[in-house]
Amino acid sequence: MPVSQEQADWFADAVAQLIANLDQAILGKHDVIKLVVTSMLTGGHVLLEDVPGTGKTVLAKSLANSIEGTQSRIQFTPDLLPSDVTGVTIYDQSNGAFQFHPGPVFASVVLADEINRASPKTQSALLEVMEEGVVTVDGTPHPVGTPFMVIATQNPVEQAGTYSLPEAQLDRFLVKTSLGYPDRQTTVNLLLDSQNRTRSDAVKPIIQASVIASMIQLAAEVHTDAAVMQYLSEIVERTRTDSDAALGVSIRGALALARAAKVWALSDRRSYVTPDDIQALAVPVLAHRIILDPEAEFTGVTAANIVERALAAVAPPTTRVA
């Protein structure tokens, strides 16, 4: 069923209120907050890679506080086991049967803090649940419910004792972004409020988790014209044929961009996707899925450069998209 203008207005108003609520804790980072909210409403996950002390954990906790769902925090360390994330089956002597004890991954918003400090085996415990929303333990599937979102953080400057995320896991993050340092005025405002050590606690719930699930379903109904999807497909193909790319964007990445563009459009009170939506999200959704050629990486080429070249090389459609 096509999305009505009334539904589009309701969706956009809810997104604006959610972003404004998060702005209380994360000052001066409206664009990054919008990306994180878009990811949640796409049913996707976010990887925040930034230098220490820029508010990655505060953003994740503030988002969890904004919705009336459950939240959990997992501090990833080298000795963390997969069962510490997913849960474990334990024999219950009182009833003579094995009983599943859910791990911290069973929450609406899961903060995977410093995810690259855990071993690849533990990191892989998130692969199934991030893709399918299900944890399988001893052959039994356990759904985590909707909404479900993983917000993972990692520091790029602290590499001692860390493990790079496998390409397969990077591909499961809808968005990779960073907060960066605040501007001068925002820094002054933070310093004036330096006694406040719990900015995320000031963020109160303003929307129910069940409403988030309804918003995810509504965004899936946004119209996508074949010409716009052809445009997206050509951009993805360009990343695969770029001479500086050892591996381009997967079909999972293309699908992720299509879904995110629907949320982006609906947040702008539109019931249809335009090429502008694709362009706005291309770098944060696609760049982290590209593996650079080692020689190109040595010369300073970035994955974002490859996506930007693809955008410049592919002309947007001129046919009607609505």
Side-chain angles (χ1 to χ4, degrees):
M1 180 181 296
V3 177
S4 67
Q5 188 58 51
E6 182 180 0
Q7 290 174 312
D9 290 339
W10 168 78
F11 187 98
D13 289 341
V15 170
Q17 292 173 14
L18 189 54
I19 292 174
N21 201 45
L22 295 172
D23 278 335
Q24 300 176 67
I26 306 295
L27 304 181
K29 296 298 177 181
H30 182 87
D31 293 342
V32 177
I33 291 174
K34 186 177 180 181
L35 274 176
V36 174
V37 171
T38 297
S39 182
M40 180 180 66
L41 296 176
T42 308
H45 313 285
V46 174
L47 177 61
L48 295 175
E49 182 179 74
D50 217 330
V51 294
T54 52
K56 300 183 296 296
T57 304
V58 173
L59 175 57
K61 293 178 68 175
S62 298
L63 180 62
N65 289 345
S66 293
I67 65 173
E68 293 183 357
T70 55
Q71 60 174 294
S72 66
R73 179 179 182 270
I74 308 172
Q75 181 63 54
F76 278 68
T77 56
D79 60 347
L80 191 73
L81 298 176
S83 58
D84 295 329
V85 176
T86 60
V88 64
T89 301
I90 299 176
Y91 184 74
D92 188 346
Q93 291 184 341
S94 62
N95 57 24
F98 285 94
Q99 184 176 359
F100 176 65
H101 293 257
V105 77
F106 286 83
S108 302
V109 179
V110 178
L111 172 59
D113 212 2
E114 296 186 299
I115 189 173
N116 57 333
R117 291 199 176 278
S119 67
K121 181 178 182 180
T122 301
Q123 292 176 13
S124 66
L126 290 171
L127 289 176
E128 180 189 26
V129 68
M130 288 176 66
E131 182 69 17
E132 303 175 20
V134 171
V135 171
T136 301
V137 177
D138 294 335
T140 302
H142 303 275
V144 294
T146 304
F148 170 71
M149 183 184 191
V150 173
I151 300 180
T153 72
Q154 64 178 12
N155 298 327
V157 296
E158 297 181 11
Q159 299 302 322
T162 64
Y163 303 86
S164 298
L165 293 179
E167 287 76 12
Q169 184 158 356
L170 279 173
D171 206 27
R172 282 167 169 79
F173 286 101
L174 181 88
V175 166
K176 180 182 178 183
T177 187
S178 63
L179 288 165
Y181 291 117
D183 59 37
R184 182 173 299 176
Q185 186 56 53
T186 301
T187 300
V188 171
N189 293 337
L190 289 170
L191 292 174
L192 291 172
D193 192 33
S194 59
Q195 74 279 2
N196 185 358
R197 295 175 177 268
T198 56
R199 301 189 66 87
S200 60
D201 292 346
V203 177
K204 303 302 180 183
I206 63 169
I207 192 167
Q208 295 181 347
S210 59
V211 176
I212 295 295
S214 298
M215 293 174 73
I216 293 173
Q217 294 176 354
L218 180 63
E221 302 300 322
V222 170
H223 174 70
T224 51
D225 189 87
V228 179
M229 291 300 98
Q230 177 66 30
Y231 174 61
L232 190 162
S233 177
E234 291 179 11
I235 292 171
V236 168
E237 289 176 6
R238 285 276 182 172
T239 68
R240 298 169 183 165
T241 58
D242 193 293
S243 59
D244 289 333
L247 185 67
V249 176
S250 67
I251 187 62
R252 182 189 284 124
L255 290 168
L257 181 52
R259 294 169 184 146
K262 292 183 176 184
V263 174
W264 200 263
L266 207 53
S267 299
D268 198 30
R269 304 182 188 277
R270 285 181 286 105
S271 60
Y272 56 90
V273 174
T274 70
D276 289 342
D277 301 321
I278 303 297
Q279 294 166 8
L281 292 166
V283 172
V285 174
L286 300 182
H288 64 284
R289 307 170 193 272
I290 297 173
I291 299 178
L292 291 170
D293 179 89
E295 292 185 7
E297 189 173 11
F298 181 76
T299 60
V301 175
T302 65
N305 294 149
I306 293 177
V307 177
E308 290 163 355
R309 288 203 295 251
L311 289 171
V314 180
T318 56
T319 57
R320 185 180 180 185
V321 296

